[in-house]
Amino acid sequence: MIADLLTELTDTHRSWGFGLCFLHLRNVKGYPWNHKRVYRIYCELELNLRIKPRRRLKRDRPDALVVPDAPNVTWSMDFMADRLGDGRAFRLLNVLDDFNREGLGIEVDFSLPAERVIVCAAQANR
C-alpha cells in the first residue's frame, strides 16, 4: 500500500523528493506511518531524485598586468601585521613603486587609522 501511494505521488509530482512525499502522506492523507518505514520503501523502489551537478561559471581571462614605463607612475600599498614577544600586535604600511620596486615609505604602529594612511601615501608622493 505504501509503495503504491509513493509511486503514484512521484509520478504526478516529479520534482518531489522523499520529504515532500512523506509530509503529503502524513499531513494531507492522514496515514500514521513513521518516516523510517516510508523512507525504507522509498529507497527500495529507487525513487530517489537525481542530484543535479552545479553549473560552473565561465569566467573571462583576466587582463595582463600593466608594467609601468617610468618611476612614480603607479604605486602599491600593502599592510602587514605581526606580534611582539609580549603579545601586542603591530601593523606596517608599505608603499612601493611598481616600476623599480623601491620602498617609498613604511609606517609602523600599533594602530594605523585611515588619516595616517592618507598622510603616509601623500608623503611618499613627494
Side-chain angles (χ1 to χ4, degrees):
M1 174 150 182
I2 299 175
D4 298 334
L5 289 171
L6 281 174
T7 53
E8 180 183 327
L9 270 178
T10 54
D11 286 343
T12 57
H13 305 283
R14 294 209 176 268
S15 63
W16 281 16
F18 166 73
L20 285 175
C21 290
F22 175 72
L23 289 175
H24 183 78
L25 290 176
R26 171 66 70 88
N27 297 333
V28 177
K29 300 285 186 174
Y31 293 108
W33 306 307
N34 68 8
H35 69 280
K36 293 176 277 188
R37 180 178 185 184
V38 177
Y39 185 69
R40 179 177 47 82
I41 297 171
Y42 182 85
C43 289
E44 287 174 359
L45 294 173
E46 297 178 353
L47 298 175
N48 296 336
L49 287 175
R50 179 179 67 89
I51 297 173
K52 295 179 183 177
R54 291 188 179 189
R55 290 186 179 179
R56 296 197 179 255
L57 295 175
K58 299 281 184 175
R59 298 192 185 264
D60 296 334
R61 290 188 178 264
D63 296 334
L65 292 177
V66 179
V67 179
D69 298 331
N72 291 328
V73 174
T74 58
W75 296 343
S76 296
M77 294 183 5
D78 185 29
F79 286 97
M80 296 174 63
D82 203 355
R83 290 193 178 273
L84 296 174
D86 60 0
R88 294 185 299 168
F90 65 95
R91 297 183 74 186
L92 295 93
L93 169 66
N94 301 314
V95 181
L96 303 173
D97 187 357
D98 288 342
F99 177 72
N100 54 10
R101 309 210 189 251
E102 177 185 356
L104 301 176
I106 298 176
E107 191 75 24
V108 181
D109 204 347
F110 292 108
S111 111
L112 289 172
E115 296 153 356
R116 295 260 314 272
V117 171
I118 293 168
V119 169
C120 180
Q123 287 176 353
N125 189 13
R126 294 182 207 167

